[in-house]
Amino acid sequence: MDDLALKPNDRVLILGGTGFIGKRLVTELTERNIKLRLLVRNPSAVPAVILKNKDTEIVKGDLVSGDGLKEAVHGIHSAYYLVHSMGGKSMFKTTEFARMDKDAAKNFISSADEAGIKRVIYLGGLGETEKNLSEHLRSREEVAEILSSGKPLATVLRAAIIIGAEGASFVMLKYLVERLPVMICPKWIDTRIQPIAVKDVLAYLTGSLLNPDTAGKKFDIGGPEVLTYREMMQQYTEAVGIRRRIIFRAPVLSPHLAAYWVDLVTPIPSGIAHPLIEGLKNEVVCLDDKITEYIPIEKTPFKTAVKIAVSQKD
Ligand SMILES: NC(=O)c1ccc[n+]([C@@H]2O[C@H](COP(=O)([O-])OP(=O)(O)OC[C@H]3O[C@@H](n4cnc5c(N)ncnc54)[C@H](OP(=O)(O)O)[C@@H]3O)[C@@H](O)[C@H]2O)c1
C-alpha cells in the first residue's frame, strides 16, 4: 500500500488533459503542487493556462496509434484516463469510436504494465450492462474492463451527465432548453438520470489519487438528486430564470429522428451527439454511494451546478 501513496516527487500522467474534464483537473492538481505530464495529440492547442506551469511536461502522442506512449509513461507513478474517441461531423460515420477506444485502452495498458505505473484512475459512464446499453455506454464499460486488466491498480469512477460549461451533454441540454419553448421528445424524456456537478467530479478524481484505499475499486458517482430528463429540463429553466418548457412525449418519434433535429438546434458535432442521444434510453443512476466512505464531500445540487455552469464562459 505504501507504493500506492503519492510522494512529493512522483509525477502523474493525464490522458485527455486538453478535454472538458482534463483541463480542469490539470488546474486542480497544479494548485496542489502535484507534478504532471500530459500526452496530447496537438501540443500547439494546449491551453495557455496549462503551459503557464513550467514544471508540467507535455509529450506529443496519440493513444490509438500508440505514438509517444513510451515516453509518456516513463517514470510515472499514477495516470488519469479521461479520453474518448467520439467526434467528427458525419451523421453516418459515428460507429468507429468503440474500436478506437478499445485500441487506445489496450495500447495504454500494455505501456503502463511495462513502465511499472502503480495506479490508473478512469472516469467512465454509468449504466448497467444487462440492460440493452447504448454503444457509447457499452464502450465506456469495455474501456473500464481493459484498464482494470493490467498491472496498475485501477480506480473506476462512473458518472452520468456532468454539469459544466463545456461538457458535450450539458451543452446539448442547454441549447435544447434555451432555444425550444415547446419540445416533442421520444420516450427517453421519462428516463431517470443522476447528474453531477463538474466541481464534485473533480473532488472525486483528486480524492481518488490522494486516497490509496480507492485503488482497485469501482465507484458510482452522482449528485444529490435523481431526475427524469423532463425534470432536469424544467429545473434548468428554474435555475436560469426562463419560462418552463412545454414538453410532449410523442408515442412514435424514433430516437434517430430526434437525433437529427438535435443536430439542427445544438452546436455539438453529430459524431458526439448521436452516440450520446442513443444512450438516453438507458437509466443512469448510481447503484450505491460507497464513494462517500472514501471521499466525503458535500454534493452540489443540480440547480446550483447549472447556475455555475451558465455563468462560466469556457
Ligand atoms: N462530459 C460528460 O458529461 C461525461 C459524463 C460521464 C463521463 N465522462 C467521461 O469523462 C472522460 C472525459 O470526457 P470529457 O467530457 O472531458 O471529453 P472531451 O472534452 O471530449 O475530451 C476528450 C479528451 O480525449 C483526448 N483524446 C481523444 N482521442 C485521443 C487520442 N487518440 N489520443 C490522445 N488523446 C485523445 C482529447 O484530445 P484532443 O484535445 O486532441 O481532442 C481530449 O483531451 C471520458 O472518459 C468520458 O467518458 C464525461
Side-chain angles (χ1 to χ4, degrees), residues 151-215:
K151 290 183 193 154
L153 286 180
T155 301
V156 175
L157 303 178
R158 306 194 317 155
I161 178 174
I162 298 173
I163 309 302
E166 266 183 315
S169 302
F170 178 73
V171 172
M172 286 198 315
L173 173 76
K174 174 179 153 72
Y175 271 76
L176 288 175
V177 179
E178 292 191 359
R179 297 260 167 109
L180 301 174
V182 178
M183 278 179 258
I184 301 171
C185 301
K187 62 181 179 190
W188 54 247
I189 196 68
D190 293 313
T191 307
R192 294 188 325 143
I193 177 161
Q194 193 167 351
I196 180 168
V198 66
K199 164 175 172 284
D200 296 0
V201 171
L202 292 172
Y204 288 132
L205 285 168
T206 311
S208 297
L209 179 71
L210 299 179
N211 181 351
D213 291 342
T214 60

Short mmCIF file of all heavy atoms in Angstrom, two decimals, residues 151-215:
data_model
loop_
_atom_site.label_atom_id
_atom_site.label_comp_id
_atom_site.label_asym_id
_atom_site.label_seq_id
_atom_site.Cartn_x
_atom_site.Cartn_y
_atom_site.Cartn_z
N LYS A 151 -1.47 -4.34 -14.82
CA LYS A 151 -0.79 -4.36 -13.52
C LYS A 151 -1.12 -3.14 -12.66
O LYS A 151 -1.21 -3.26 -11.44
CB LYS A 151 0.72 -4.45 -13.73
CG LYS A 151 1.16 -5.81 -14.25
CD LYS A 151 2.67 -5.87 -14.37
CE LYS A 151 3.11 -7.08 -15.18
NZ LYS A 151 4.40 -6.88 -15.83
N PRO A 152 -1.29 -1.94 -13.24
CA PRO A 152 -1.65 -0.80 -12.38
C PRO A 152 -3.02 -1.06 -11.75
O PRO A 152 -3.91 -1.61 -12.41
CB PRO A 152 -1.75 0.38 -13.35
CG PRO A 152 -1.09 -0.04 -14.61
CD PRO A 152 -1.18 -1.53 -14.66
N LEU A 153 -3.17 -0.71 -10.47
CA LEU A 153 -4.49 -0.89 -9.85
C LEU A 153 -5.41 0.20 -10.37
O LEU A 153 -5.08 1.39 -10.31
CB LEU A 153 -4.38 -0.81 -8.33
CG LEU A 153 -3.76 -2.04 -7.66
CD1 LEU A 153 -3.70 -1.86 -6.15
CD2 LEU A 153 -4.56 -3.30 -8.00
N ALA A 154 -6.57 -0.21 -10.88
CA ALA A 154 -7.49 0.76 -11.50
C ALA A 154 -8.52 1.25 -10.49
O ALA A 154 -9.08 0.45 -9.73
CB ALA A 154 -8.19 0.12 -12.69
N THR A 155 -8.76 2.54 -10.50
CA THR A 155 -9.93 3.10 -9.80
C THR A 155 -10.87 3.54 -10.91
O THR A 155 -10.50 4.36 -11.75
CB THR A 155 -9.54 4.33 -8.95
OG1 THR A 155 -8.56 3.93 -8.00
CG2 THR A 155 -10.77 4.89 -8.23
N VAL A 156 -12.08 2.97 -10.92
CA VAL A 156 -13.04 3.31 -11.97
C VAL A 156 -14.15 4.14 -11.35
O VAL A 156 -14.81 3.70 -10.40
CB VAL A 156 -13.63 2.03 -12.61
CG1 VAL A 156 -14.74 2.38 -13.61
CG2 VAL A 156 -12.54 1.21 -13.30
N LEU A 157 -14.31 5.36 -11.85
CA LEU A 157 -15.42 6.22 -11.41
C LEU A 157 -16.43 6.24 -12.55
O LEU A 157 -16.06 6.45 -13.70
CB LEU A 157 -14.92 7.64 -11.13
CG LEU A 157 -13.81 7.79 -10.09
CD1 LEU A 157 -13.40 9.25 -9.96
CD2 LEU A 157 -14.25 7.26 -8.72
N ARG A 158 -17.71 6.05 -12.22
CA ARG A 158 -18.74 6.03 -13.27
C ARG A 158 -19.72 7.18 -13.03
O ARG A 158 -20.29 7.27 -11.93
CB ARG A 158 -19.50 4.71 -13.26
CG ARG A 158 -18.61 3.47 -13.34
CD ARG A 158 -19.41 2.22 -13.66
NE ARG A 158 -20.66 2.11 -12.93
CZ ARG A 158 -21.70 1.42 -13.37
NH1 ARG A 158 -21.65 0.78 -14.53
NH2 ARG A 158 -22.81 1.34 -12.65
N ALA A 159 -19.90 8.03 -14.05
CA ALA A 159 -20.78 9.19 -13.88
C ALA A 159 -21.80 9.25 -15.01
O ALA A 159 -21.57 8.74 -16.11
CB ALA A 159 -19.95 10.47 -13.88
N ALA A 160 -22.94 9.92 -14.73
CA ALA A 160 -23.92 10.24 -15.79
C ALA A 160 -23.54 11.60 -16.36
O ALA A 160 -22.34 11.94 -16.39
CB ALA A 160 -25.33 10.22 -15.20
N ILE A 161 -24.49 12.42 -16.75
CA ILE A 161 -24.16 13.73 -17.34
C ILE A 161 -23.43 14.61 -16.30
O ILE A 161 -23.82 14.66 -15.14
CB ILE A 161 -25.43 14.45 -17.86
CG1 ILE A 161 -25.10 15.83 -18.42
CG2 ILE A 161 -26.49 14.58 -16.79
CD1 ILE A 161 -26.29 16.53 -19.09
N ILE A 162 -22.35 15.24 -16.77
CA ILE A 162 -21.58 16.13 -15.89
C ILE A 162 -21.95 17.57 -16.22
O ILE A 162 -21.89 17.99 -17.39
CB ILE A 162 -20.06 15.88 -16.06
CG1 ILE A 162 -19.75 14.42 -15.65
CG2 ILE A 162 -19.26 16.87 -15.21
CD1 ILE A 162 -18.33 13.98 -15.93
N ILE A 163 -22.37 18.31 -15.20
CA ILE A 163 -22.86 19.67 -15.41
C ILE A 163 -21.68 20.65 -15.31
O ILE A 163 -21.15 20.89 -14.22
CB ILE A 163 -23.96 20.03 -14.36
CG1 ILE A 163 -25.05 18.95 -14.32
CG2 ILE A 163 -24.55 21.41 -14.66
CD1 ILE A 163 -25.74 18.70 -15.64
N GLY A 164 -21.29 21.19 -16.45
CA GLY A 164 -20.17 22.13 -16.52
C GLY A 164 -20.19 22.79 -17.88
O GLY A 164 -20.65 22.17 -18.86
N ALA A 165 -19.65 24.01 -17.97
CA ALA A 165 -19.81 24.84 -19.17
C ALA A 165 -19.51 24.14 -20.49
O ALA A 165 -20.23 24.32 -21.45
CB ALA A 165 -18.93 26.09 -19.03
N GLU A 166 -18.46 23.34 -20.55
CA GLU A 166 -18.04 22.78 -21.84
C GLU A 166 -18.47 21.33 -22.08
O GLU A 166 -18.12 20.77 -23.11
CB GLU A 166 -16.51 22.77 -21.88
CG GLU A 166 -15.87 23.94 -22.50
CD GLU A 166 -14.38 23.70 -22.50
OE1 GLU A 166 -13.85 23.25 -21.45
OE2 GLU A 166 -13.75 23.91 -23.53
N GLY A 167 -19.13 20.72 -21.12
CA GLY A 167 -19.49 19.31 -21.25
C GLY A 167 -20.44 19.11 -22.43
O GLY A 167 -21.43 19.84 -22.55
N ALA A 168 -20.16 18.13 -23.30
CA ALA A 168 -20.96 17.95 -24.52
C ALA A 168 -22.44 17.71 -24.18
O ALA A 168 -23.33 18.33 -24.78
CB ALA A 168 -20.40 16.79 -25.34
N SER A 169 -22.72 16.85 -23.22
CA SER A 169 -24.13 16.56 -22.89
C SER A 169 -24.79 17.79 -22.29
O SER A 169 -25.96 18.09 -22.58
CB SER A 169 -24.22 15.42 -21.87
OG SER A 169 -23.59 14.28 -22.38
N PHE A 170 -24.04 18.52 -21.47
CA PHE A 170 -24.62 19.71 -20.85
C PHE A 170 -24.92 20.78 -21.90
O PHE A 170 -25.96 21.43 -21.87
CB PHE A 170 -23.70 20.27 -19.76
CG PHE A 170 -24.26 21.54 -19.16
CD1 PHE A 170 -25.36 21.49 -18.31
CD2 PHE A 170 -23.74 22.78 -19.48
CE1 PHE A 170 -25.92 22.65 -17.78
CE2 PHE A 170 -24.29 23.95 -18.97
CZ PHE A 170 -25.38 23.88 -18.11
N VAL A 171 -24.03 20.94 -22.87
CA VAL A 171 -24.25 21.94 -23.92
C VAL A 171 -25.49 21.57 -24.74
O VAL A 171 -26.31 22.43 -25.09
CB VAL A 171 -22.99 22.08 -24.83
CG1 VAL A 171 -23.26 22.97 -26.04
CG2 VAL A 171 -21.81 22.63 -24.03
N MET A 172 -25.70 20.26 -24.98
CA MET A 172 -26.91 19.84 -25.71
C MET A 172 -28.16 20.20 -24.91
O MET A 172 -29.12 20.74 -25.44
CB MET A 172 -26.88 18.32 -25.97
CG MET A 172 -25.90 17.95 -27.06
SD MET A 172 -26.13 16.32 -27.78
CE MET A 172 -26.38 15.25 -26.45
N LEU A 173 -28.11 19.92 -23.62
CA LEU A 173 -29.25 20.23 -22.74
C LEU A 173 -29.54 21.73 -22.78
O LEU A 173 -30.67 22.17 -22.97
CB LEU A 173 -28.90 19.79 -21.31
CG LEU A 173 -29.89 20.19 -20.21
CD1 LEU A 173 -31.11 19.30 -20.27
CD2 LEU A 173 -29.26 20.09 -18.82
N LYS A 174 -28.49 22.52 -22.65
CA LYS A 174 -28.61 23.98 -22.60
C LYS A 174 -29.28 24.52 -23.89
O LYS A 174 -30.23 25.29 -23.83
CB LYS A 174 -27.20 24.57 -22.44
CG LYS A 174 -27.08 26.07 -22.50
CD LYS A 174 -25.60 26.43 -22.28
CE LYS A 174 -25.23 27.74 -22.93
NZ LYS A 174 -25.76 28.91 -22.28
N TYR A 175 -28.77 24.07 -25.06
CA TYR A 175 -29.32 24.59 -26.32
C TYR A 175 -30.77 24.16 -26.51
O TYR A 175 -31.60 24.95 -26.95
CB TYR A 175 -28.45 24.14 -27.51
CG TYR A 175 -27.34 25.11 -27.78
CD1 TYR A 175 -26.21 25.14 -26.96
CD2 TYR A 175 -27.41 26.03 -28.81
CE1 TYR A 175 -25.19 26.04 -27.18
CE2 TYR A 175 -26.39 26.94 -29.05
CZ TYR A 175 -25.28 26.95 -28.23
OH TYR A 175 -24.29 27.85 -28.45
N LEU A 176 -31.06 22.90 -26.19
CA LEU A 176 -32.44 22.43 -26.38
C LEU A 176 -33.39 23.24 -25.52
O LEU A 176 -34.41 23.75 -25.99
CB LEU A 176 -32.55 20.94 -26.01
CG LEU A 176 -31.91 19.97 -26.99
CD1 LEU A 176 -31.97 18.55 -26.47
CD2 LEU A 176 -32.59 20.05 -28.35
N VAL A 177 -33.04 23.41 -24.25
CA VAL A 177 -33.96 24.08 -23.33
C VAL A 177 -34.05 25.57 -23.66
O VAL A 177 -35.14 26.15 -23.66
CB VAL A 177 -33.54 23.86 -21.86
CG1 VAL A 177 -34.48 24.59 -20.92
CG2 VAL A 177 -33.51 22.39 -21.52
N GLU A 178 -32.92 26.19 -23.96
CA GLU A 178 -32.96 27.64 -24.17
C GLU A 178 -33.57 28.02 -25.52
O GLU A 178 -34.16 29.08 -25.65
CB GLU A 178 -31.55 28.24 -24.02
CG GLU A 178 -31.08 28.14 -22.57
CD GLU A 178 -29.82 28.93 -22.28
OE1 GLU A 178 -29.27 29.56 -23.19
OE2 GLU A 178 -29.38 28.90 -21.11
N ARG A 179 -33.43 27.15 -26.53
CA ARG A 179 -33.91 27.51 -27.88
C ARG A 179 -35.36 27.09 -28.15
O ARG A 179 -35.99 27.64 -29.03
CB ARG A 179 -33.02 26.84 -28.93
CG ARG A 179 -31.58 27.28 -28.90
CD ARG A 179 -31.31 28.30 -29.98
NE ARG A 179 -30.04 28.96 -29.77
CZ ARG A 179 -28.97 28.78 -30.54
NH1 ARG A 179 -29.03 27.94 -31.55
NH2 ARG A 179 -27.86 29.44 -30.29
N LEU A 180 -35.83 26.03 -27.46
CA LEU A 180 -37.13 25.48 -27.85
C LEU A 180 -38.17 25.63 -26.73
O LEU A 180 -38.08 24.93 -25.72
CB LEU A 180 -36.97 23.98 -28.18
CG LEU A 180 -36.00 23.62 -29.30
CD1 LEU A 180 -35.84 22.11 -29.41
CD2 LEU A 180 -36.47 24.18 -30.63
N PRO A 181 -39.13 26.51 -26.90
CA PRO A 181 -40.17 26.68 -25.86
C PRO A 181 -41.10 25.46 -25.78
O PRO A 181 -41.67 25.17 -24.74
CB PRO A 181 -40.93 27.93 -26.29
CG PRO A 181 -40.51 28.24 -27.68
CD PRO A 181 -39.26 27.48 -28.00
N VAL A 182 -41.22 24.74 -26.92
CA VAL A 182 -42.06 23.54 -26.95
C VAL A 182 -41.21 22.40 -27.51
O VAL A 182 -40.51 22.58 -28.50
CB VAL A 182 -43.29 23.74 -27.88
CG1 VAL A 182 -44.12 22.47 -27.93
CG2 VAL A 182 -44.13 24.92 -27.41
N MET A 183 -41.25 21.24 -26.83
CA MET A 183 -40.44 20.11 -27.32
C MET A 183 -41.30 18.87 -27.45
O MET A 183 -42.11 18.58 -26.57
CB MET A 183 -39.32 19.82 -26.33
CG MET A 183 -38.13 20.71 -26.48
SD MET A 183 -36.89 20.30 -25.24
CE MET A 183 -37.18 21.61 -24.09
N ILE A 184 -41.07 18.16 -28.55
CA ILE A 184 -41.72 16.85 -28.70
C ILE A 184 -40.60 15.83 -28.62
O ILE A 184 -39.68 15.84 -29.43
CB ILE A 184 -42.46 16.75 -30.05
CG1 ILE A 184 -43.50 17.87 -30.11
CG2 ILE A 184 -43.12 15.39 -30.21
CD1 ILE A 184 -44.16 18.03 -31.46
N CYS A 185 -40.64 14.99 -27.60
CA CYS A 185 -39.50 14.10 -27.32
C CYS A 185 -39.93 12.64 -27.36
O CYS A 185 -41.07 12.31 -27.07
CB CYS A 185 -38.94 14.40 -25.94
SG CYS A 185 -38.38 16.09 -25.78
N PRO A 186 -38.97 11.74 -27.67
CA PRO A 186 -39.26 10.31 -27.57
C PRO A 186 -39.44 9.90 -26.11
O PRO A 186 -39.29 10.73 -25.21
CB PRO A 186 -38.02 9.64 -28.17
CG PRO A 186 -37.24 10.72 -28.80
CD PRO A 186 -37.60 11.98 -28.12
N LYS A 187 -39.64 8.59 -25.88
CA LYS A 187 -39.98 8.17 -24.51
C LYS A 187 -38.82 8.35 -23.53
O LYS A 187 -39.03 8.31 -22.32
CB LYS A 187 -40.52 6.74 -24.49
CG LYS A 187 -39.57 5.69 -24.96
CD LYS A 187 -40.26 4.33 -24.89
CE LYS A 187 -39.30 3.28 -25.41
NZ LYS A 187 -39.88 1.99 -25.60
N TRP A 188 -37.57 8.61 -24.06
CA TRP A 188 -36.48 8.81 -23.12
C TRP A 188 -36.68 10.01 -22.22
O TRP A 188 -36.00 10.17 -21.22
CB TRP A 188 -35.11 8.87 -23.80
CG TRP A 188 -34.89 9.85 -24.93
CD1 TRP A 188 -34.66 9.53 -26.23
CD2 TRP A 188 -34.82 11.29 -24.88
NE1 TRP A 188 -34.46 10.67 -26.99
CE2 TRP A 188 -34.55 11.76 -26.18
CE3 TRP A 188 -34.94 12.24 -23.85
CZ2 TRP A 188 -34.43 13.12 -26.50
CZ3 TRP A 188 -34.81 13.60 -24.17
CH2 TRP A 188 -34.56 14.02 -25.47
N ILE A 189 -37.62 10.84 -22.55
CA ILE A 189 -37.84 12.04 -21.73
C ILE A 189 -38.17 11.66 -20.27
O ILE A 189 -37.96 12.43 -19.35
CB ILE A 189 -38.95 12.94 -22.36
CG1 ILE A 189 -38.92 14.35 -21.77
CG2 ILE A 189 -40.32 12.33 -22.28
CD1 ILE A 189 -37.74 15.14 -22.12
N ASP A 190 -38.69 10.42 -20.08
CA ASP A 190 -39.00 9.99 -18.71
C ASP A 190 -37.99 8.98 -18.15
O ASP A 190 -38.23 8.33 -17.14
CB ASP A 190 -40.44 9.44 -18.67
CG ASP A 190 -41.43 10.57 -18.92
OD1 ASP A 190 -41.27 11.65 -18.30
OD2 ASP A 190 -42.32 10.43 -19.78
N THR A 191 -36.82 8.86 -18.80
CA THR A 191 -35.75 8.02 -18.26
C THR A 191 -35.11 8.74 -17.07
O THR A 191 -34.98 9.96 -17.07
CB THR A 191 -34.64 7.81 -19.33
OG1 THR A 191 -35.22 7.32 -20.52
CG2 THR A 191 -33.57 6.84 -18.85
N ARG A 192 -34.70 7.96 -16.06
CA ARG A 192 -34.09 8.57 -14.87
C ARG A 192 -32.57 8.70 -15.02
O ARG A 192 -31.92 7.84 -15.59
CB ARG A 192 -34.40 7.75 -13.62
CG ARG A 192 -35.88 7.75 -13.27
CD ARG A 192 -36.17 7.10 -11.94
NE ARG A 192 -35.29 5.98 -11.66
CZ ARG A 192 -34.82 5.68 -10.45
NH1 ARG A 192 -35.14 6.41 -9.41
NH2 ARG A 192 -34.05 4.64 -10.28
N ILE A 193 -32.04 9.76 -14.44
CA ILE A 193 -30.62 10.09 -14.55
C ILE A 193 -30.17 10.77 -13.26
O ILE A 193 -30.96 11.39 -12.59
CB ILE A 193 -30.40 11.01 -15.79
CG1 ILE A 193 -28.96 11.43 -15.90
CG2 ILE A 193 -31.28 12.24 -15.79
CD1 ILE A 193 -28.55 11.94 -17.27
N GLN A 194 -28.89 10.63 -12.94
CA GLN A 194 -28.35 11.27 -11.73
C GLN A 194 -27.20 12.20 -12.12
O GLN A 194 -26.04 11.80 -12.12
CB GLN A 194 -27.89 10.20 -10.73
CG GLN A 194 -27.63 10.76 -9.35
CD GLN A 194 -27.49 9.66 -8.31
OE1 GLN A 194 -27.75 8.48 -8.58
NE2 GLN A 194 -27.07 10.03 -7.11
N PRO A 195 -27.54 13.45 -12.48
CA PRO A 195 -26.48 14.38 -12.93
C PRO A 195 -25.52 14.73 -11.80
O PRO A 195 -25.87 14.60 -10.63
CB PRO A 195 -27.26 15.63 -13.38
CG PRO A 195 -28.59 15.53 -12.72
CD PRO A 195 -28.86 14.09 -12.44
N ILE A 196 -24.32 15.18 -12.18
CA ILE A 196 -23.32 15.53 -11.16
C ILE A 196 -22.59 16.81 -11.60
O ILE A 196 -22.28 16.96 -12.79
CB ILE A 196 -22.34 14.36 -10.91
CG1 ILE A 196 -21.29 14.73 -9.84
CG2 ILE A 196 -21.64 13.88 -12.17
CD1 ILE A 196 -20.48 13.53 -9.32
N ALA A 197 -22.31 17.70 -10.64
CA ALA A 197 -21.59 18.94 -10.94
C ALA A 197 -20.13 18.63 -11.24
O ALA A 197 -19.52 17.77 -10.59
CB ALA A 197 -21.66 19.88 -9.74
N VAL A 198 -19.54 19.36 -12.19
CA VAL A 198 -18.13 19.12 -12.54
C VAL A 198 -17.23 19.32 -11.32
O VAL A 198 -16.24 18.60 -11.14
CB VAL A 198 -17.71 19.99 -13.76
CG1 VAL A 198 -17.71 21.48 -13.46
CG2 VAL A 198 -16.34 19.56 -14.26
N LYS A 199 -17.61 20.25 -10.45
CA LYS A 199 -16.82 20.51 -9.23
C LYS A 199 -16.74 19.24 -8.36
O LYS A 199 -15.70 18.91 -7.80
CB LYS A 199 -17.57 21.64 -8.53
CG LYS A 199 -17.30 21.96 -7.12
CD LYS A 199 -18.14 23.23 -6.79
CE LYS A 199 -18.14 23.57 -5.34
NZ LYS A 199 -19.00 22.70 -4.54
N ASP A 200 -17.85 18.50 -8.29
CA ASP A 200 -17.87 17.28 -7.48
C ASP A 200 -17.05 16.17 -8.16
O ASP A 200 -16.36 15.38 -7.50
CB ASP A 200 -19.32 16.80 -7.25
CG ASP A 200 -20.13 17.81 -6.44
OD1 ASP A 200 -19.57 18.86 -6.07
OD2 ASP A 200 -21.32 17.55 -6.18
N VAL A 201 -17.13 16.12 -9.49
CA VAL A 201 -16.33 15.12 -10.23
C VAL A 201 -14.85 15.37 -9.96
O VAL A 201 -14.08 14.43 -9.70
CB VAL A 201 -16.62 15.20 -11.76
CG1 VAL A 201 -15.65 14.33 -12.54
CG2 VAL A 201 -18.06 14.80 -12.04
N LEU A 202 -14.45 16.64 -9.99
CA LEU A 202 -13.03 16.96 -9.75
C LEU A 202 -12.62 16.57 -8.33
O LEU A 202 -11.51 16.08 -8.10
CB LEU A 202 -12.79 18.45 -9.98
CG LEU A 202 -12.93 18.89 -11.44
CD1 LEU A 202 -12.87 20.40 -11.57
CD2 LEU A 202 -11.87 18.24 -12.32
N ALA A 203 -13.53 16.77 -7.38
CA ALA A 203 -13.22 16.38 -5.99
C ALA A 203 -13.02 14.86 -5.89
O ALA A 203 -12.11 14.38 -5.21
CB ALA A 203 -14.35 16.84 -5.06
N TYR A 204 -13.84 14.11 -6.62
CA TYR A 204 -13.69 12.64 -6.58
C TYR A 204 -12.43 12.19 -7.32
O TYR A 204 -11.75 11.25 -6.88
CB TYR A 204 -14.92 11.96 -7.18
CG TYR A 204 -16.16 12.06 -6.31
CD1 TYR A 204 -17.39 12.45 -6.84
CD2 TYR A 204 -16.12 11.76 -4.95
CE1 TYR A 204 -18.53 12.53 -6.05
CE2 TYR A 204 -17.25 11.85 -4.14
CZ TYR A 204 -18.45 12.23 -4.70
OH TYR A 204 -19.57 12.31 -3.92
N LEU A 205 -12.13 12.84 -8.43
CA LEU A 205 -10.91 12.47 -9.18
C LEU A 205 -9.66 12.75 -8.33
O LEU A 205 -8.77 11.90 -8.20
CB LEU A 205 -10.82 13.24 -10.50
CG LEU A 205 -11.76 12.77 -11.62
CD1 LEU A 205 -11.80 13.79 -12.75
CD2 LEU A 205 -11.34 11.40 -12.17
N THR A 206 -9.62 13.94 -7.74
CA THR A 206 -8.46 14.30 -6.91
C THR A 206 -8.41 13.41 -5.67
O THR A 206 -7.35 12.90 -5.30
CB THR A 206 -8.58 15.79 -6.49
OG1 THR A 206 -8.86 16.55 -7.65
CG2 THR A 206 -7.33 16.31 -5.84
N GLY A 207 -9.57 13.23 -5.04
CA GLY A 207 -9.63 12.41 -3.82
C GLY A 207 -9.18 10.98 -4.09
O GLY A 207 -8.54 10.35 -3.25
N SER A 208 -9.48 10.46 -5.27
CA SER A 208 -9.08 9.08 -5.59
C SER A 208 -7.56 8.98 -5.62
O SER A 208 -6.97 8.01 -5.13
CB SER A 208 -9.63 8.65 -6.95
OG SER A 208 -11.02 8.65 -6.92
N LEU A 209 -6.91 10.00 -6.19
CA LEU A 209 -5.43 9.96 -6.27
C LEU A 209 -4.83 10.05 -4.86
O LEU A 209 -3.87 9.36 -4.54
CB LEU A 209 -4.94 11.15 -7.12
CG LEU A 209 -3.43 11.27 -7.27
CD1 LEU A 209 -2.89 10.15 -8.16
CD2 LEU A 209 -3.05 12.63 -7.88
N LEU A 210 -5.44 10.90 -4.04
CA LEU A 210 -4.85 11.16 -2.72
C LEU A 210 -5.19 10.09 -1.69
O LEU A 210 -4.57 10.04 -0.63
CB LEU A 210 -5.28 12.55 -2.22
CG LEU A 210 -4.83 13.71 -3.14
CD1 LEU A 210 -5.31 15.04 -2.61
CD2 LEU A 210 -3.31 13.71 -3.32
N ASN A 211 -6.19 9.27 -1.97
CA ASN A 211 -6.56 8.20 -1.04
C ASN A 211 -6.26 6.84 -1.68
O ASN A 211 -7.05 6.31 -2.46
CB ASN A 211 -8.04 8.30 -0.68
CG ASN A 211 -8.44 7.22 0.31
OD1 ASN A 211 -7.65 6.29 0.59
ND2 ASN A 211 -9.64 7.32 0.85
N PRO A 212 -5.10 6.23 -1.35
CA PRO A 212 -4.71 4.96 -1.99
C PRO A 212 -5.69 3.82 -1.71
O PRO A 212 -5.68 2.82 -2.44
CB PRO A 212 -3.34 4.65 -1.38
CG PRO A 212 -2.98 5.79 -0.50
CD PRO A 212 -4.14 6.72 -0.38
N ASP A 213 -6.55 3.98 -0.71
CA ASP A 213 -7.54 2.93 -0.44
C ASP A 213 -8.57 2.79 -1.57
O ASP A 213 -9.31 1.82 -1.63
CB ASP A 213 -8.31 3.21 0.87
CG ASP A 213 -7.40 3.04 2.08
OD1 ASP A 213 -6.34 2.41 1.95
OD2 ASP A 213 -7.76 3.58 3.15
N THR A 214 -8.62 3.79 -2.45
CA THR A 214 -9.57 3.70 -3.58
C THR A 214 -8.99 2.85 -4.72
O THR A 214 -9.70 2.53 -5.68
CB THR A 214 -9.92 5.11 -4.14
OG1 THR A 214 -8.70 5.73 -4.59
CG2 THR A 214 -10.60 5.98 -3.10
N ALA A 215 -7.71 2.50 -4.63
CA ALA A 215 -7.07 1.73 -5.72
C ALA A 215 -7.72 0.36 -5.85
O ALA A 215 -8.02 -0.30 -4.83
CB ALA A 215 -5.57 1.59 -5.44
#
